Each structure stands twice: as C-alpha cells, then as structure tokens.
Amino acid sequence: MSDRITLFGATLPDGRTRDVVLRNGRIGLLREPGRLARGACAGLDLTGYLLLPAPAEPHVHLDRALTWEPVGSDPDGRDGAWRSWLVRPARYHLGDLRRRSREALRTLARHGATAVRTHLDVGEGRTPLRAVEVMAELRAEFHRVLDLQIVAVPVPETSDRAITDAVSAGAGVIGGQPRFAPDCRREIRRLLRLADRAGVGLDLHLDDGFDPRLLAVGDLARLLRASGFDRPVTAGHLAGLNRLAPSALGRIGETIAASGMRVVALPSERGCGLPIRELIAAGVTVAAGGDHLRDAGHPMGLADPLATAAATGLPPTQAWAAVAGHARTVLGLEPGGLEPGAAADLFAVRAGSLAEALQTRPQDRITLRAGRVVTHNGRAPIPHLDRSPSPTETTRPTRRHVPTAA
C-alpha cells in the first residue's frame, strides 16, 4: 500500500488550482496541474472540488443524539427541553446509547468531521459510568476515521469520586455546568481542582443566557490566571455575554484572552449565540460547534460543519476557521492547513469557492484523515465493531487506487 497519494486538480480557498501530494499522512508538496504524471502514482481526481482543512466538531452531546422522537419537548424553551431529557425512562439504555451514538458519529464523519468532542452526562451509580465506557468503545471503533474525545459532565451534586471514576473509565476532559450549583464560583473552583488532580483539561458550560448576572466566564478566567492551572480550558455557550454593554464585553474579552481560555460558540442553536466578532477582536480563540443533533435541545440539529460555519455570520475564511483550525485547537490537535508539512486531514466539497460551499452546502463531499479517504458521500467504508474491511475495499471517485481507512 502506497504512502504517497496525489490529489489532482484541487481548487484551493484562494482560487488557485493545484495538485497536492500527500506523504505519510501529511501534505508533501503542492504543484501546478500537469507537472505530475497522473499514471505514476495513486491519486484522486478533485477537478471541480474545493479542498479545505478538515473540520472538527468541538461540542456535541452524543448521549442525547437522535432522541427527539422518543423524548420530544415542551414549550418552555431550553429548560423544558432539559426536563424532557431528564425524565426519559430509557435515558441510559446502553444498547440504545451505542446505536444512536454510532449513527451520530457516522453522520459527523459523512459531513466531514475528523475529530469530535462529546459532552457526556455522568453522576452517581454504575450506569452513567458504563455510558463513558460505551463511548470509549466507540472511540476505538472509529479511531481510523475520527478522533473522539469524551468530556465527563457532572451535575453539581455529583461527588468528586464519581467524576474521577469517569476519567478512569475513559473521559479525557472534565466538564460541568456551574450555573446549576448553589454557589457558581465554588463549583468552578472544585472542577478546576479535580481537573488538576486528574491531569486533564476542563470544558465547561457557562453563561447559558438563563441569568445574565451569572457571568461565570469572567470568574473562570480570573481563577485561571490566579491558580496557575496550565492545562487547556474551554468555555461553551456564553450567551449571557450578548447582554453586556460594549465596554463591559471588551473587558471580559480581554480577560478571557489573557487567561488563554478557548471559547466554543453554538451559532445554529436558538438562544445560544454569542458575540463572536467582539471576542475575536479581543484576541480570543473562538471555535464553533453544533451542540445537539436532533434531540430535545435542538430537534433540527444537522451535525454539519458547513451549516455551523455559515451560521456564525463571519466572512467565509473566518467562518471556516471556526469549525476547522480553531476547533482543532480547542481539541488540542494540530490546526491543520494546506501547506507542506500540515496534517493531511482534508475535506473536499464540490464547489467553486468557500462562499458557494457555505451557501449551498453540497452533499458531494470527500473526507481524508491522515491522507486516507474515509468517506465519499457517506459511501466509503466506515469501521464497524464487528467487521474488518477487506483489503480490496476502496472508494470509487478515483482514477487510480486510493488507500482507504481500514
């Protein structure tokens, strides 16, 4: 199996057309079309495709994915959706969790994601812990297609032991929802302490917009600078920032940037927008995620990075950076790119420009991870727990043989 693959005739975001040579999972070189002999090496014809760094999904809830039909919701907004989820009888039926999460991951992979971070509810007892273990099994199953990261999200009454057990079971990040705690700042300090003890990063739901007085993101940023916590910290949602006056928002943005904290916006979900442009202007790394996939929180969630990028309202290049390079930075991965030496996690979509791709969201897509085709319109082989692909399995949009993920 060749470790060298050439992508022929790809359109780059700046409008140039190039042949892109991939070597050992990285971009080797870019040449003008016609300088490389197509019959000399394995290759993929990308004539008519726009080639981009692959997107990542930095904030999704796989344990709730695809539950809209059985759970439904009520008319009381996001609080009502949360209550609907909590009372679901089969919330942690493990077979159901495995089936739904696998299908959600397939959807994300088909849409181009090569890395996913899922937030997963944990608490006391064996069943929530088993949910983390199920997700760890899926991480191993999909490892050739995407990088799956697990965030253990406790409610405030969850014990320290249950949180550390979740890390031992496979979670690589500690999450949390301090707004539910009687003392928001005390809960933030507890989660920082536990993350430091476990040697993992922190990714919190903050300022969901329910109470504009709880601007916990500023408290978290100040605590980070005072504590010396040196692991990655991410804050999601932050809709409460929309209610701040411009001067106050500017100060909060500068505090976040100085702390090194990353922020994840959720622009596709009603009520979860945040002032992305202002935070970027303050120097904050802002990624964008989808949050919910057809569940009580968002019954129309698409798990599509093109849709998420378009919903940011940013110019095309910045919009794609939010779901690609910045999202990968949040996940602690190489940011990727289209220059020699960059990781060959790539996304090709049939479009003439990035603006066209964001506007029309074509479904003719090809995803490469580490230089290997893993999806083409969802038809390429995606690993299954009980099946090892045949050595002869390949994708079909090629003029020459292209290795695919096993």
Side-chain angles (χ1 to χ4, degrees):
M1 183 178 292
S2 173
D3 288 324
R4 171 170 165 155
I5 307 163
T6 301
L7 310 179
F8 292 107
T11 300
L12 304 185
D14 61 9
R16 293 177 299 159
T17 300
R18 291 291 184 268
D19 292 341
V20 183
V21 179
L22 310 181
R23 294 190 181 118
N24 300 318
R26 295 189 174 273
I27 295 177
L29 56 90
L30 288 77
R31 293 276 180 87
E32 292 185 7
R35 296 185 62 185
L36 297 170
R38 295 200 177 198
C41 60
L44 177 64
D45 187 358
L46 292 187
T47 302
Y49 285 86
L50 176 70
L51 185 64
L52 299 164
E57 174 50 74
H59 188 117
V60 71
H61 293 264
L62 291 180
D63 55 346
R64 307 178 201 172
L66 308 176
T67 57
W68 169 251
E69 288 79 8
V71 176
S73 188
D74 63 30
D76 297 330
R78 284 177 52 82
D79 270 339
W82 178 249
R83 286 195 297 273
S84 296
W85 169 251
L86 290 179
V87 300
R88 183 182 180 215
R91 178 184 176 193
Y92 279 117
H93 184 284
L94 296 180
D96 177 61
L97 172 65
R98 185 179 286 106
R99 175 189 60 78
R100 289 185 293 98
S101 298
R102 179 182 285 120
E103 182 55 36
L105 287 170
R106 287 177 182 273
T107 299
L108 286 159
R110 289 171 185 139
H111 285 159
T114 59
V116 175
R117 174 174 285 185
T118 179
H119 291 251
L120 185 64
D121 297 335
V122 301
E124 307 295 341
R126 173 177 172 77
T127 306
L129 186 60
R130 282 289 295 132
V132 175
E133 293 168 350
V134 166
M135 213 62 64
E137 292 168 5
L138 290 174
R139 177 171 59 199
E141 178 182 337
F142 279 82
H143 79 281
R144 292 183 182 273
V145 173
L146 54 78
D147 183 337
L148 178 60
Q149 299 183 3
I150 303 168
V151 183
V153 183
V155 294
E157 62 267 21
T158 303
S159 69
D160 291 3
R161 174 64 182 273
I163 297 172
T164 55
D165 283 349
V167 173
S168 298
V173 182
I174 288 177
Q177 301 180 80
R179 73 177 185 85
F180 288 118
D183 186 330
C184 181
R185 293 162 182 80
R186 181 177 180 181
E187 178 68 1
I188 289 174
R189 287 193 293 269
R190 178 176 85 112
L191 295 172
L192 272 171
R193 172 175 52 80
L194 290 173
D196 188 48
R197 182 187 302 169
V200 299
L202 201 63
D203 191 336
L204 301 181
H205 290 62
L206 294 177
D207 300 335
D208 259 337
F210 293 90
D211 186 345
R213 295 169 298 176
L214 294 177
L215 292 172
V217 63
D219 295 311
L220 176 56
R222 286 184 283 271
L223 281 170
L224 282 178
R225 297 187 69 184
S227 68
F229 185 82
D230 60 356
R231 296 185 178 275
V233 176
T234 303
H237 292 271
L238 307 182
L241 295 182
N242 280 316
R243 306 191 185 197
L244 293 180
S247 59
L249 177 59
R251 290 192 296 272
I252 285 287
E254 292 171 359
T255 300
I256 294 171
S259 72
M261 187 194 315
R262 290 86 177 253
V263 166
V264 175
L266 306 165
S268 298
E269 188 174 348
R270 179 175 57 85
C272 284
L274 59 83
I276 298 175
R277 294 173 186 266
E278 291 81 357
L279 291 177
I280 291 174
V284 180
T285 297
V286 181
D291 200 12
H292 295 283
L293 172 57
R294 298 209 314 272
D295 62 18
H298 190 6
M300 297 298 132
L302 297 173
D304 185 349
L306 282 174
T308 300
T312 64
L314 296 170
T317 300
Q318 284 187 311
W320 192 251
V323 299
H326 294 169
R328 290 176 63 90
T329 296
V330 166
L331 271 56
L333 305 173
E334 294 181 63
L338 294 173
E339 63 280 343
D345 279 21
L346 301 169
F347 176 63
V349 58
R350 189 172 287 281
S353 68
L354 182 52
E356 177 189 337
L358 295 175
Q359 181 181 24
T360 63
R361 300 204 329 259
Q363 293 306 300
D364 190 348
R365 309 177 184 196
I366 301 170
T367 308
L368 297 94
R369 180 157 191 250
R372 297 175 182 272
V373 173
V374 291
T375 65
H376 177 248
N377 294 346
R379 293 193 298 269
I382 296 177
H384 189 279
L385 188 62
D386 301 320
R387 185 180 71 85
S388 297
S390 161
T392 61
E393 288 183 36
T394 62
T395 58
R396 295 298 182 189
T398 62
R399 293 186 177 179
R400 300 279 298 171
H401 171 73
V402 179
T404 56

